[in-house]
Amino acid sequence: MRDMLRSIPAMDKSMQALLDAAPELANAPRKLLKESVSAFWNKIREEIRQGKCEQVIDLNTQLPALLRHARKTLQLNLRPALNGAGVVIHTNLGRSILSRQACEAALMAASNYCTLEMDVNTGARGGRHNLTSRLIQMLTGAEDALVVNNNAAAVLLILDTLCKGGETIVSRGELVEIGGSFRIPDIMRKSGAILKEVGTTNRTHLADYENAITENTRAIMRVHASNFRIIGFHAEAHLKDLKNLAHAHNLPLIVDLGSGNLLAFDGNGLPHEPTVQEVIAQGADIVCFSGDKALGGPQAGIIAGKKSIVEKLKKNPLTRALRCDKMCLAALEATLRLYLDPETAIREIPTPAMLAMPPDEIARNARALAKKLRQALANAQIPCQITLLQNASRAGGGSFPEYELATTLVCVQPQHMSSQQLRMKLLQADIPLIGRMEQDAFCLDPRTLQKKDYRLVIETLVNALVST
Ligand SMILES: *Cc1c(COP(=O)(O)O)cnc(C)c1O
């Protein structure tokens, strides 16, 4: 054992061998490379101690494995992934892909000084909040607007500003958990607002709200339960009635829309979800929604509503703590500008485009992808079955819960490994390819794959299928 341990090469030797074999590693951070080499030999050292090694260590024999290990360690943690899962707003994969226009704007802001808080008319300090407020007003019909880091922050800011120390009335059917430990009751507690629950899980009536109003009431709040659906014996108060009730008592009506839509998606297999402009028109005083859900922009919490309330929000010191950075605001402005013409928005912004993609277009793409894949597999002599399957994609991100968007999947069933093994290998690829399992096959949904990536998808699949 001692001979074996002693045969582990020194750092200098390992580094030299690595750089000889792969000169491009000279550009990698030395610290990371050395750490990776240490970790590699430490693992082998451990194996020797456990009696799992038979022979003394030979650097040349180990070099390919060392090189693979080094390359893996040097990869950035945040890198691209291919979404073949058919979940459009896939939170684990970064929710929305930005439009080309938004990407260019973010890059501009990242690589230049920019007019973030500079009033170019006076040279004095301007406000970053004014960069997008005019566009949000035009698109939603609201008097004023404010953007913060995400919608959870928007909810916190609104409650902290308007409801602290007093009661906020919310229906029991709307006390939702969004995931990632965001629960409406928790966020209320954090903001110092007292939750006043009314009604029942499945039915809440206007009278329930009315009976709960006291002199301690600060607001009525509606949370758009966008990540689940109550079916069957269900009732909720109309927004207009809530508005009338709130205003009769001089209370603001707050609406957390979750995934705020600026476009009506009905007619594409999706139900009518209230758009932001509808909710504003129905009299909500303050509305908040996410920038990176159905809107398809950067992570942001967009707040739109009455000028008097937005002014109060801006004065809250929390606003400073929750503010967006320049790249986000640049991408958001570019995204919102595309919405000025709905047809342009649906063409140019990937998330709404994917949500509205017609089933026959997906079927065409599925056939094209399957054909290319069969060819590549035949060329590489890999025995594998490729079939098409009528199935459904999901909107995801807590939008359009349970609604199924008709799609055609490309199913991959290798003969020499299980579909589950294939799935794990694809996760480990340099650019991970995420799919989903249906009927024991590994399946890809063309709705969420970008056409420009088909070649990469095929290459990744072939690589995973040839390696053992
Ligand atoms: C998603 C969601 C949130 C949180 O939005 P983030 O932008 O993820 O912070 C809050 N409320 C509702 C109803 C949601 O659906």
Side-chain angles (χ1 to χ4, degrees), residues 370-382 458-459 462:
K371 188 173 164 198
K372 284 187 186 144
L373 193 52
R374 281 193 198 105
Q375 267 164 11
L377 292 169
N379 289 345
Q381 299 186 326
I382 301 167
I458 290 165
E459 207 178 280
V462 170

Side-chain angles (χ1 to χ4, degrees), residues 369-417:
L369 180 60
K371 188 173 164 198
K372 284 187 186 144
L373 193 52
R374 281 193 198 105
Q375 267 164 11
L377 292 169
N379 289 345
Q381 299 186 326
I382 301 167
C384 181
Q385 209 172 35
I386 305 296
T387 49
L388 298 182
L389 177 68
Q390 297 302 308
N391 206 270
S393 327
R394 288 283 175 80
S399 318
F400 302 107
E402 303 311 316
Y403 286 94
E404 302 198 325
L405 301 158
T407 196
T408 306
L409 302 180
V410 177
C411 306
V412 184
Q413 264 177 310
Q415 280 163 27
H416 60 300
M417 66 173 84

Side-chain angles (χ1 to χ4, degrees), residues 189-222:
R189 203 169 308 121
K190 201 78 197 163
S191 71
I194 299 159
L195 170 63
K196 181 82 184 173
E197 301 176 26
V198 296
T200 60
T201 306
N202 59 330
R203 290 171 76 85
T204 303
H205 307 284
L206 189 65
D208 295 322
Y209 289 91
E210 199 161 8
N211 294 336
I213 295 177
T214 68
E215 57 195 28
N216 286 329
T217 307
R218 295 284 184 277
I220 294 177
M221 180 169 179
R222 158 146 295 170

Side-chain angles (χ1 to χ4, degrees), residues 95 149-153 155 176 178 182 184 223-227 256-259 289-293 299-301 397-398:
R95 286 198 180 159
N149 219 335
N150 54 37
N151 191 32
V155 174
V176 298
I178 315 301
F182 178 90
I184 290 293
V223 181
H224 187 65
S226 55
N227 60 354
D256 171 10
L257 259 181
S259 175
F289 55 99
S290 291
D292 56 352
K293 289 185 180 172
Q299 178 189 301

Side-chain angles (χ1 to χ4, degrees), residues 276-292:
V276 181
Q277 46 279 37
E278 280 167 6
V279 171
I280 297 276
Q282 283 169 11
D285 297 291
I286 199 85
V287 179
C288 61
F289 55 99
S290 291
D292 56 352

